[in-house]
Amino acid sequence: RALIRHSRVLILDESTSMLSPSGIEELGTLMRQLVERGMAVVFITHKLREAASFGDRISVLKLGRKVGEIAPDRFSRLDEDTLISEFVEMMFGKRSGDPEDVPRVPHPDLERKAPVLAVRGLGVTPTAVTPGLADVSFELRPGEILGIAGIDGNGQKQLADALAGQAPIDSGTIELDGRPVEGTPVHARRDAGLRYLTDDRLGEGTVGSFPVSINLLLKQIGD
């Protein structure tokens, strides 16, 4: 529809979020064909490999401010892995004038509180289709938010599944309020106060053929 009226500029905002891998490749091919015909395309994405595969230049925004760019002449000389490394540095690295480069002082009471969740040396064996985990350790105290950051597909979901009891672990310990829970099932961890909201809302979080009223009460794994 956007192309019917002989458009000159096309803006695509997260246009691959609901596409299959083959659909993403087809869209990339179509964008390249449009560019060769003289159209200008703004392709907005949080998927770094797509940006590296389909782009000619890159601009990185953080809190509404442009914090970095890679111009076409340099973009064309870099391989995909190098491009992605530079994207990550611009996204998460701290530079002069970075809008996130502000001091953050932890709450003075946090260090005096016992961890509500303590993970030490957690390990999960990788499979043919999922990454593993190796020696993951952290502590989370009451009143604290712990952010896990990384490119999609680098073990975030495996970590969440292991903490919730939906995936077995090969090494390490998980303590909830000082009690080890790594050998307990999902429902026991839920009864102890641990809840897991999956990122796969369609495939795992809901049953599409059931009404909302049933889905609200359905998430009872492991009983």
Side-chain angles (χ1 to χ4, degrees), residues 49 52 70 74 77-90:
R49 293 200 180 277
I70 302 178
R74 187 161 182 273
R77 297 197 304 267
L78 300 178
D79 60 51
E80 184 177 275
D81 289 340
T82 303
L83 282 169
I84 290 176
S85 295
E86 295 211 8
F87 298 165
V88 172
E89 173 61 27
M90 286 187 283

Side-chain angles (χ1 to χ4, degrees), residues 21-73:
S22 61
I24 293 172
E25 290 301 320
E26 290 174 7
L27 178 61
T29 299
L30 176 60
M31 283 195 295
R32 184 54 56 195
Q33 292 171 349
L34 294 173
V35 167
E36 290 173 353
R37 297 174 192 170
M39 178 174 282
V41 177
V42 178
F43 179 62
I44 301 170
T45 182
H46 66 276
K47 299 178 180 179
L48 304 189
R49 293 200 180 277
E50 291 178 6
S53 297
F54 304 149
D56 292 313
R57 76 164 66 221
I58 289 292
S59 293
V60 175
L61 300 182
K62 184 184 291 187
L63 297 180
R65 184 186 302 174
K66 187 172 79 171
V67 295
E69 66 177 342
I70 302 178
D73 57 341

Side-chain angles (χ1 to χ4, degrees), residues 70-216:
I70 302 178
D73 57 341
R74 187 161 182 273
F75 190 101
S76 62
R77 297 197 304 267
L78 300 178
D79 60 51
E80 184 177 275
D81 289 340
T82 303
L83 282 169
I84 290 176
S85 295
E86 295 211 8
F87 298 165
V88 172
E89 173 61 27
M90 286 187 283
M91 291 167 63
F92 297 109
K94 293 290 189 285
R95 303 179 177 195
S96 177
D98 193 306
E100 289 190 333
D101 190 14
V102 295
R104 286 179 170 81
V105 181
H107 194 282
D109 292 334
L110 280 181
E111 292 297 328
R112 292 196 291 269
K113 294 181 179 180
V116 66
L117 178 66
V119 178
R120 297 182 179 87
L122 186 67
V124 174
T125 300
T127 69
V129 294
T130 61
L133 302 172
D135 196 24
V136 176
S137 299
F138 60 85
E139 292 184 344
L140 178 63
R141 289 174 169 78
E144 185 178 33
I145 298 174
L146 172 65
I148 306 295
I151 300 172
D152 190 34
N154 278 269
Q156 300 95 313
K157 179 170 177 55
Q158 286 67 40
L159 175 60
D161 286 346
L163 296 178
Q166 295 185 190
I169 68 173
D170 299 303
S171 60
T173 60
I174 304 171
E175 292 184 0
L176 187 61
D177 285 328
R179 299 189 303 271
V181 297
E182 62 271 7
T184 60
V186 172
H187 69 86
R189 302 186 199 198
R190 187 180 63 245
D191 292 342
L194 181 65
R195 299 291 188 273
Y196 175 34
L197 302 182
T198 176
D199 66 334
D200 184 5
R201 67 184 189 280
L202 298 179
E204 185 180 0
T206 60
V207 177
S209 59
F210 286 5
V212 172
S213 58
I214 298 297
N215 273 295
L216 283 172

